Amino acid sequence: MSKISFEHVSLIYQNDNKDYPVLQDMNFSIQEGEFVSLIGSSGCGKSTTLNLLAGLQKPTRGQVKIDGKSVEGPGKDRGVVFQHYSLFPWMKARKNIEFGIRQISGSASKKETAAKAEQYLKLVGLEGKGGLYPYQLSGGMQQRVAIARTLAMEPDILLMDEPFGAIDARNRVLLQELLLALLEKEEKPKTVLFVTHDIDEAILLSDRILFLREKRIFSALKVPFGRPRKRQDIIGTGAYIQFRKQLFSLFGDSAEEPEEPEARIEGIA
Amino acid sequence: MKGRVLPHLIFLTLTAAIFLPGRAEVHSRWVFAVVMALIEGVFLLRRKKRATCGIATIVFTFFLIWELYSSKFSTEGNFLFPPPENVFAIFLEDDSVILNSVGSSFGMMALSFAIALALGIPLGLLSGRHNRLRGIVQPIAQVLSPIPGLIYAPYAVALMPSFWAASVFILSSGLFWPVLLGVIDTLGQMQKKLTDSAKALNLSERSTVFNVLLPYCVPSIFTTLSLQISNSFLLLVGAEMLGATSGVGWYVKYSSDFSDYTRVIAGFIVIGVLVSVVNSGLARLRKAAIRWQPS
């Protein structure tokens, strides 16, 4: 059984008796421990797909399932990292992480919680910054704290909505590598859905890439690189350039229908 | 350089004037002289700040004109413009009455603030959380909120068991509506990223209210308080003038009933000092409460 499955999922907004479909009859599944990226142009419904899985929105038709059970709302099995820095501004960095931990293990002592928060701060390279408020941290640092908060809650599924989208190029590279390293450290590989519009980011991080177009999954491609993966080992290789070209062509001219769209779909359950 | 010496020159002239014989009958010069010396002391401590010089010049010029007009040259004006020496001497003469009045006014205000916050914040949070309740509460609040408290003061006095209770009622309702509307409005504008974040963390209702919504509203509650504080003083003094037997408003009203304008002016000064102290206390509290915001 797939860890995550979308079955004939549609989301339609209604306004003045007019229908505005955001997603139409979307089908895909993700296996346990798989890292899947969702790419596509702005406004194609990437974030909506992630919100449905997070339980923040409900589909108009169809079902979103985790372990075969329909998603009814947010849950402890899923952790979300948003593009905007979603830390609570009135809590210091450490407090934000502790607050997250307390949501999943109410029984843990103050000391245990604090120790765990400190451990995760260290893990994301922010040792000694726990006493700062979010406004005193750079965007990249805030996102590190948000990742630490989510990982500290030990969810099975990690949902990331363009987490590095608002971060400068240099720091983005650092954070991508940090995420790779963190996920490799996990004993049980996490199932990840990662929304991005950055092709290189998707190739570097994922096992599989889903391309969203015309309100549904238009294409699915397996990333032809193994793990552990290092940026310097794959970037610039012939396989990389070839694969990137293939992905990039998908964006192409959206108005133009490919001749045989079915032929490109592989790996969709 | 010239500008820096000016306030001190005026201060010295003023001091000399205080101790020179004049036409008005002066009971004691010392309280006035000491207060002026204290003000000069504060200015000397803060002389590095640019504005200090200008403020000092204006303050001492004001007292010098008052002193010269009422104490040195005029006897007819003494009735409406009592010499500053006599006004300041009242602080020593009436010290227990004034202290009592300040305590009574301050206590009434603190109690009313506490009541308004204790009712307005929870109701605001509830309304912000439940659309149906907000649909009922918000329009009612918008109609009742702009009615000035003093308008229903006479009715409140007739309605409530004691004058004191009536004043507390008027004051707390004057603050209750703005606090309630402020909280509802703030929650209505709450950034989606914070509500999404709270939902994604799977927070309980209780935790959402106490750890997310309430702290989010704190800055705007302080803004409401600082905007409403002068209105509250207006209500307080107005209510006390209606028939209280203590408080700073009562003190001014009572003294003016006897045409004792020396005490009336002393009362003005007390009210001014009290307002400033409450304001700066509130500003400090605000600073401590929202350290998490970039200043």
Side-chain angles (χ1 to χ4, degrees), chain B residues 3 17 31 47 50 52 102 104 131 133 141 165 186 224-225 228 257 264 279 289:
Chain B
V31 184
R47 64 179 176 276
R50 225 180 217 185
T52 304
V102 169
S104 153
N131 289 336
L133 186 62
T186 308
T224 308
L225 280 184
Q228 290 299 321
D257 283 347
V264 168
N279 261 332

Side-chain angles (χ1 to χ4, degrees), chain A residues 19-92:
Chain A
D19 283 354
Y20 296 93
V22 184
L23 299 173
Q24 246 171 2
D25 196 30
M26 177 185 250
N27 289 290
F28 71 91
S29 63
I30 299 175
Q31 302 306 314
E32 177 140 28
E34 201 181 10
F35 191 124
V36 171
S37 283
L38 203 55
I39 63 171
S41 327
S42 304
C44 70
K46 300 190 296 279
S47 295
T48 311
T49 307
L50 185 131
N51 283 345
L52 287 171
L53 191 50
L56 298 175
Q57 279 178 282
K58 284 208 164 97
T60 317
R61 278 195 296 276
Q63 278 193 314
V64 178
K65 286 182 177 169
I66 293 173
D67 293 325
K69 275 182 233 135
S70 183
V71 170
E72 297 297 336
K76 291 175 185 174
D77 55 341
R78 283 152 287 157
V80 191
V81 180
F82 296 99
Q83 174 182 8
H84 47 249
Y85 318 126
S86 56
L87 300 175
F88 296 118
W90 46 86
M91 295 179 193
K92 292 176 176 170

Side-chain angles (χ1 to χ4, degrees), chain B residues 13 117 129 232 281 291:
Chain B
T13 318
L117 292 175
R129 202 82 185 121
S232 293
R291 258 172 309 175

Side-chain angles (χ1 to χ4, degrees), chain B residues 3 7 10 16-18 20 26-27 49 59 98 101 115 119 122-123 183 185-186 195 219 223 244 248 256 277:
Chain B
I10 302 173
I18 293 173
L20 283 171
V26 168
H27 310 300
K49 283 195 183 162
V59 168
I98 289 174
S101 299
I115 292 174
L119 294 176
L123 187 59
V183 170
D185 197 47
T186 308
T195 44
T223 308
V248 288
S256 73
V277 168

Side-chain angles (χ1 to χ4, degrees), chain A residues 201-218:
Chain A
E201 184 169 82
I203 301 174
L204 176 69
L205 298 172
S206 352
D207 299 315
R208 200 151 54 96
I209 297 175
L210 302 178
F211 181 75
L212 221 111
R213 191 165 139 186
E214 275 129 35
K215 303 169 184 70
R216 63 201 168 86
I217 302 295
F218 187 72

Side-chain angles (χ1 to χ4, degrees), chain B residues 8-293:
Chain B
H8 305 301
L9 280 178
I10 302 173
F11 167 70
L12 291 176
T13 318
L14 178 60
T15 312
I18 293 173
F19 289 99
L20 283 171
R23 297 173 74 170
E25 191 189 317
V26 168
H27 310 300
S28 161
R29 304 164 199 280
W30 285 104
V31 184
F32 183 47
V34 167
V35 172
M36 290 304 114
L38 282 176
I39 294 176
E40 167 75 359
V42 171
F43 285 143
L44 277 174
L45 280 176
R46 297 195 176 179
R47 64 179 176 276
K48 293 239 166 74
K49 283 195 183 162
R50 225 180 217 185
T52 304
C53 210
I55 295 171
T57 309
I58 289 170
V59 168
F60 288 133
T61 308
F62 170 77
F63 281 115
L64 183 63
I65 292 171
W66 182 7
E67 163 70 19
L68 292 179
Y69 175 73
S70 63
S71 182
K72 296 281 119 56
F73 300 119
S74 163
T75 45
E76 300 97 65
N78 278 352
F79 178 62
L80 280 173
F81 297 102
E85 290 93 335
N86 292 353
V87 169
F88 279 79
I90 295 290
F91 297 138
L92 216 57
E93 230 171 278
D94 276 4
D95 59 347
S96 67
V97 180
I98 289 174
L99 270 180
N100 262 334
S101 299
V102 169
S104 153
S105 293
F106 185 79
M108 185 183 282
M109 203 152 150
L111 179 68
S112 309
F113 269 47
I115 292 174
L117 292 175
L119 294 176
I121 297 173
L123 187 59
L125 288 173
L126 267 177
S127 310
R129 202 82 185 121
H130 301 286
N131 289 336
R132 270 186 61 191
L133 186 62
R134 183 176 58 229
I136 300 166
V137 169
Q138 203 172 16
I140 295 177
Q142 276 163 346
V143 170
L144 292 182
S145 163
I147 302 175
L150 277 179
I151 293 288
Y152 51 84
Y155 181 59
V157 171
L159 198 68
M160 302 300 269
S162 68
F163 180 80
W164 184 83
S167 308
V168 170
F169 171 75
I170 295 164
L171 251 109
S172 38
S173 59
L175 189 66
F176 168 77
W177 298 113
V179 167
L180 174 65
L181 283 173
V183 170
I184 292 178
D185 197 47
T186 308
L187 290 181
Q189 292 170 15
M190 187 158 185
Q191 296 145 300
K192 199 172 165 293
K193 68 175 190 180
L194 287 175
T195 44
D196 270 357
S197 189
K199 273 191 215 154
L201 282 177
N202 211 11
L203 297 189
S204 65
E205 180 70 17
R206 194 189 142 84
S207 188
T208 305
V209 170
F210 286 102
N211 293 310
V212 180
L213 303 184
L214 184 59
Y216 181 75
C217 288
V218 165
S220 85
I221 292 170
F222 271 104
T223 308
T224 308
L225 280 184
S226 54
L227 285 174
Q228 290 299 321
I229 205 145
S230 54
N231 183 37
S232 293
F233 262 100
L234 200 73
L235 285 175
L236 173 78
V237 173
E240 283 177 351
M241 283 179 153
L242 277 175
T245 48
S246 64
V248 288
W250 162 82
Y251 183 81
V252 170
K253 172 77 166 65
Y254 184 80
S255 307
S256 73
D257 283 347
F258 294 97
S259 302
D260 186 350
Y261 295 114
T262 313
R263 283 189 165 75
V264 168
I265 294 174
F268 291 167
I269 296 173
V270 169
I271 291 174
V273 171
L274 182 58
V275 175
S276 309
V277 168
V278 169
N279 261 332
S280 71
L282 196 68
R284 266 160 203 252
L285 212 62
R286 177 195 170 96
K287 217 175 163 187
I290 52 176
R291 258 172 309 175
W292 53 270
Q293 275 195 336

